[in-house]
Amino acid sequence: MAHVKLHIPGPVEVSEKTFQAFRSPMIGHRGQGFKDLYAKMQPQLQQLLYTKQLVYLSTSSAWGVMDGAIRNLVSKKVLNCMCGAFSDKWFDVSKRCGKEAEALQVDWGSPIRAEQIDQKLATGRFDALTLIHNETSTGVMSPLYAIGELKRKYPDVMFIVDAVSSMTATKMELDALQIDVLLAGTQKAFALPPGLSVFACSPAALTKAATIKDRGYYFDFVEFQKNAEQHMTPSTPSIGHICALSSKLDDIFAEGLDARFARHLKLANMTRDWAARHGFTLFPEAGFESVTLTCVNNGAKPGGRTVDVAKLQKIVKDQGFLIDGGYGKIKGTTFRISNMGDETEQTMNTLFAAMDKAMAQL
């Protein structure tokens, strides 16, 4: 079967170089070889996240770490900032973990704003909040730096940030922002296969976790710290993923972080321009568009043209490319195009040519 190139919001295309690293021979995960591999990556991961903290590797989807963050850091009440399908889900996760939770809900397509969080935290009811930086379902990127400023006002509130579809694509300074947990899966902007998560915790988060008696084991942040100090993981890791991550980190730093961030923004702007040329508007509120994927409005809100999304997808797929037909309650009334990971101007222009042909047939 011919390969269909992925331009969905995850998983994304994985390069042959990365796959070759993924297929590296096995090594013992408690041996010196693994310790050397993790030790080699640690300063790269710290540089990527602009942190002096140790960066952890979890053989799980990002939801595992998200669940773990709730279990490790919430003792009073958690504020779940909700602006789309995945941030909305975190409210359900919090309650299933047996925690008292409250929703800060905004309309899909709108970002979470710092003043909204400030109003909630001022009540003193919360000891943690959850935020999805880049809401994949809506293509909205909330203003992380403005929100991070609130940490100075509420130092005892644990700030838990999901950067699943933005980490490596835009600058996130963990220490400067004073974020307590910053996490991502590797199947999106890292451009690795699904199954590995990367995250880091603040000293305050580790101190808080140590006081929580029922935080579990697999996602015990204290265990991750103890093991990372020895260049190990608490449980058996996916060695293939970690070899692939090492290869990808080499690629990231060969390109340069600033160049990588600029590339993602440029490709996002190219995608937005493609949508505008064809008479579409965008679903996100202006000024809060994602730099890793574009969510095109197709009737979900007033303005712009509409097309048969399923037909558009099929014609594009027949040419060898897969785009996304929208997610959750805006499926079909939006569609999404990913530019994250290893994409270039050339690869995106190839996709746009295929989509131009498809549009001509609608």
Side-chain angles (χ1 to χ4, degrees), residues 134-321:
N134 193 66
E135 174 55 70
T136 318
S137 65
T138 63
V140 170
M141 184 172 279
S142 290
L144 184 59
Y145 279 80
I147 292 168
E149 284 295 316
L150 292 174
K151 182 66 178 178
R152 305 179 195 281
K153 189 174 180 180
Y154 305 101
D156 296 330
V157 177
M158 295 287 102
F159 280 44
I160 305 166
V161 177
D162 164 340
V164 168
S165 57
S166 56
M167 189 182 289
T168 85
T170 191
K171 192 173 189 177
M172 284 173 282
E173 299 170 289
L174 177 71
D175 291 353
L177 286 163
Q178 300 184 66
I179 292 170
D180 293 293
V181 181
L182 183 64
L183 64 98
T186 57
Q187 77 278 12
K188 296 185 184 282
F190 276 96
L192 297 178
L196 183 70
S197 295
V198 171
F199 73 107
C201 297
S202 69
L206 293 171
T207 299
K208 178 71 176 290
T211 70
I212 306 294
K213 294 181 179 179
D214 56 352
R215 63 184 181 269
Y217 175 75
Y218 194 86
F219 297 108
D220 180 352
F221 289 175
V222 177
E223 287 292 333
F224 272 98
Q225 174 68 19
K226 288 178 181 177
N227 278 270
E229 289 170 357
Q230 304 300 317
H231 309 304
M232 290 199 297
T233 56
S235 54
T236 305
S238 172
I239 294 168
H241 276 95
I242 294 170
C243 290
L245 175 61
S246 179
S247 174
K248 181 56 65 179
L249 288 168
D250 290 343
D251 294 344
I252 288 171
F253 285 100
E255 179 179 15
L257 290 180
D258 288 343
R260 185 177 183 85
F261 302 154
R263 173 170 60 82
H264 277 85
L265 178 57
K266 183 171 187 177
L267 300 185
N269 281 326
M270 289 171 59
T271 310
R272 297 168 199 168
D273 290 345
W274 177 90
R277 285 198 307 274
H278 286 278
F280 292 105
T281 58
L282 301 183
F283 185 68
E285 190 174 318
F288 299 96
E289 301 91 347
S290 168
V291 300
T292 59
L293 66 118
T294 298
C295 188
V296 181
N297 180 45
N298 188 59
K301 66 179 188 180
R305 71 180 294 180
T306 61
V307 297
D308 183 332
V309 169
K311 187 174 181 181
L312 172 65
Q313 282 183 286
K314 182 181 186 306
I315 300 171
V316 171
K317 187 176 182 180
D318 288 344
Q319 298 177 73
F321 302 92

Side-chain angles (χ1 to χ4, degrees), residues 31-79:
Q32 192 60 45
F34 181 83
K35 292 181 182 181
D36 291 345
L37 177 62
Y38 197 170
K40 172 261 179 186
M41 289 190 294
Q42 186 62 249
Q44 294 175 309
L45 290 165
Q46 290 172 312
Q47 188 176 347
L48 177 66
L49 301 185
Y50 296 84
T51 183
K52 295 179 181 178
Q53 298 305 114
L54 293 176
V55 181
Y56 313 136
L57 305 176
S58 173
T59 296
S60 68
S61 72
W63 272 112
V65 182
M66 293 159 76
D67 186 294
I70 296 296
R71 294 177 181 273
N72 276 259
L73 299 179
V74 179
S75 58
K76 186 165 61 175
K77 188 175 184 179
V78 59
L79 178 67

